[in-house]
Amino acid sequence: MSRDLAVLLLVVLLALSSGVGFCDARSGKHWRQNRGPSTTMFRRKGKGKNGGGSPPHSHRHQSPAMPAPPSPGGGNGHASQSPPPPLLPPQAPPAPRSSPPPLPPSLPPQAPPSPPPEEPSQGMVFSVVAFGARGDGVTDDTQAFEAAWTAACKVEASTVLLPPELEFVVGPISFSGPNCKPNIIFQLDGTISAKTGARAWGSGLLQWLEFTKLNGISIQGSGVINGQGKEWWTYSDSNDDDDDTDSYTDQELEKMPQIKPTALRFYGSSNVRVTGISIINSPQCHLKFDSCQGVMVHNLTISSPENSPNTDGIHLQNSKDVSIHHTDLACGDDCISIQTGCSDVNIHNVNCGPGHGISIGGLGRYNTKACVSNITVRDVNMFKTMTGVRIKTWQVTIRRPQHNSSSKDHYAYIYPITLGYQCRVAQGWSRV
């Protein structure tokens, strides 16, 4: 009996459970596929037991609430609200954004940098006229010459031009290195005249036009260097090493300084060339080479009166490798004078006269040692000269040096020279 009752109750329960499932399926509004029948039955049983809640048919109008997990502190079994989110650790406030650095003030647009200046090309010509020289025979053109030289000095193989048919009056001037570029040409086609009057010369100078410490300097052309020597020749120093000469006697010109300048001097230079020009009426020596090496002189004309005092044509001192040829020399003293320190000097095809001939010395003045070697003179024409070739020495002893000789006597040795004139040795010379 009890077993039949249990079976009956089980059938009823299954029928009820089947009916609820079919009702939910028919409603169609709130049925969810993932919700099982056991959950629905459980909720219905709970509500009927507690006697509260909505009527059985209320679930057709709103969605059933999802079961909430029990609250941590227990409770009456009702669904509780979702717990608050877990507290996060306090975060530091965000660092304030640093403001961007201020922009620099806008600059005006700049022009592109100019290209570096081009280096002057070789062979440029610098005319003294372009630098302000007048060339009228009156105006002092010294500053124009200096400016033209300064520009030419910076350019290798440049040319300083003195145009023809112009006369440039120039005072004492030095065209100097050693920072000048090599192979500069001084193209002399006009005339350079020395300034006259004592004021231009002060207490006296040893040179008028001077070229110093240059490499590859050339003076060429068809022009003239006029030393205006007549202004000086009225004064003759008693200590000058000149021979018997007459002097000009214009009393007005005795105000000129006692020290007389050489017209053209080269000092401490190498590869020097002088050709084509004329040098006239120098106050003293016309052309001088001092401490130079590699000197070439040809097609040169030197001229001054035969009674002009101490006006040597070409004077060599401490110079080596010198060649003088095809040159006309007429002056009041030695056509060519060779002093101590000279070696390897070759002189040929030279016209000498009037003058005093070609001289070596005077050597050994004030009991000093003098050395001259390898001097060659050949094919020289002399006319109206005082002597031909001579060696002048201040010592009273002259001898040929002996091999391994310990003698301290000063000597001079004459190499064989063939001339159509006379050769003279002035021994113990002071004024011959």
Side-chain angles (χ1 to χ4, degrees):
M1 185 73 179
S2 60
R3 181 176 295 179
D4 294 334
L5 181 62
V7 172
L8 179 64
L9 289 174
L10 180 59
V11 172
V12 172
L13 288 174
L14 289 174
L16 291 174
S17 175
S18 299
V20 173
F22 291 141
C23 178
D24 288 340
R26 285 192 303 267
S27 62
K29 295 182 180 179
H30 303 286
W31 177 80
R32 295 186 182 177
Q33 184 178 0
N34 62 349
R35 188 173 297 168
S38 60
T39 305
T40 307
M41 180 179 64
F42 171 76
R43 293 181 62 187
R44 286 184 178 275
K45 286 184 178 181
K47 289 182 181 180
K49 192 174 183 179
N50 292 334
S54 303
H57 59 273
S58 63
H59 66 278
R60 297 180 182 178
H61 303 284
Q62 60 181 10
S63 302
M66 293 293 294
S71 62
N76 53 7
H78 292 284
S80 61
Q81 297 180 353
S82 62
L87 296 177
L88 298 176
Q91 298 181 357
R97 293 185 179 178
S98 58
S99 58
L103 295 176
S106 59
L107 299 176
Q110 297 182 355
S114 57
E118 294 183 0
E119 296 237 347
S121 59
Q122 295 185 10
M124 292 185 65
V125 177
F126 300 89
S127 172
V128 294
V129 175
F131 289 85
R134 300 288 297 275
D136 56 9
V138 178
T139 306
D140 185 355
D141 291 325
T142 305
Q143 291 185 353
F145 273 57
E146 291 174 340
W149 175 260
T150 299
C153 174
K154 302 175 183 178
V155 183
E156 183 176 352
S158 59
T159 299
V160 178
L161 175 62
L162 282 66
E165 301 181 0
L166 296 177
E167 181 181 358
F168 304 96
V169 177
V170 176
I173 186 171
S174 178
F175 305 99
S176 60
N179 297 322
C180 288
K181 299 293 185 179
N183 304 323
I184 298 178
I185 298 173
F186 201 87
Q187 183 69 35
L188 174 57
D189 293 322
T191 298
I192 306 177
S193 296
K195 294 183 69 174
T196 58
R199 288 185 179 182
W201 304 95
S203 60
L205 296 171
L206 294 176
Q207 53 273 330
W208 168 34
L209 305 175
E210 182 182 36
F211 293 82
T212 67
K213 299 181 180 179
L214 299 168
N215 179 22
I217 178 67
S218 298
I219 296 184
Q220 64 184 34
S222 58
V224 178
I225 295 176
N226 185 357
Q228 305 276 25
K230 185 178 179 181
E231 304 289 330
W232 304 80
W233 294 334
T234 57
Y235 179 84
S236 179
D237 188 357
S238 60
N239 293 324
D240 284 345
D241 300 332
D242 56 342
D243 296 311
D244 297 333
T245 57
D246 296 328
S247 300
Y248 288 92
T249 58
D250 189 344
Q251 298 298 322
E252 182 180 355
L253 301 178
E254 291 182 358
K255 297 179 182 179
M256 298 298 289
Q258 176 179 339
I259 301 175
K260 296 175 285 188
T262 293
L264 178 59
R265 179 190 184 226
F266 293 87
Y267 173 77
S269 298
S270 59
N271 302 319
V272 182
R273 188 169 68 99
V274 180
T275 179
I277 67 171
S278 298
I279 307 175
I280 65 173
N281 298 331
S282 176
Q284 195 163 328
C285 178
H286 287 75
L287 175 60
K288 181 181 289 188
F289 298 95
D290 190 355
S291 302
C292 293
Q293 184 168 2
V295 175
M296 174 75 71
V297 178
H298 63 92
N299 299 106
L300 173 72
T301 300
I302 288 178
S303 177
S304 62
E306 60 181 309
N307 60 348
S308 56
N310 238 21
T311 54
D312 291 31
I314 300 175
H315 182 89
L316 305 177
Q317 183 172 340
N318 296 314
S319 295
K320 301 177 181 179
D321 300 325
V322 180
S323 176
I324 302 172
H325 62 90
H326 295 92
T327 292
D328 297 328
L329 307 173
C331 53
D333 210 307
D334 296 329
C335 293
I336 300 175
S337 61
I338 303 170
Q339 293 292 330
T340 184
C342 292
S343 63
D344 300 317
V345 178
N346 187 10
I347 301 169
H348 63 93
N349 297 102
V350 170
N351 295 322
C352 173
H356 295 180
I358 296 175
S359 298
I360 298 175
L363 303 177
R365 192 174 188 179
Y366 306 117
N367 201 32
T368 58
K369 182 178 180 180
C371 298
V372 176
S373 63
N374 297 335
I375 311 298
T376 301
V377 179
R378 63 180 176 85
D379 300 328
V380 175
N381 295 320
M382 296 190 180
F383 56 95
K384 294 182 67 176
T385 58
M386 182 178 292
T387 62
V389 177
R390 58 179 175 172
I391 299 175
K392 301 183 289 188
T393 172
W394 290 87
Q395 280 70 40
V396 297
T397 301
I398 180 168
R399 65 177 62 177
R400 181 192 301 263
Q402 301 297 322
H403 183 65
N404 295 328
S405 173
S406 60
S407 172
K408 296 183 180 179
D409 292 338
H410 294 275
Y411 61 85
Y413 176 61
I414 305 175
Y415 290 87
I417 300 175
T418 302
L419 291 173
Y421 208 66
Q422 57 179 320
C423 179
R424 177 183 180 188
V425 176
Q427 193 173 4
W429 175 85
S430 58
R431 296 175 67 88
V432 180

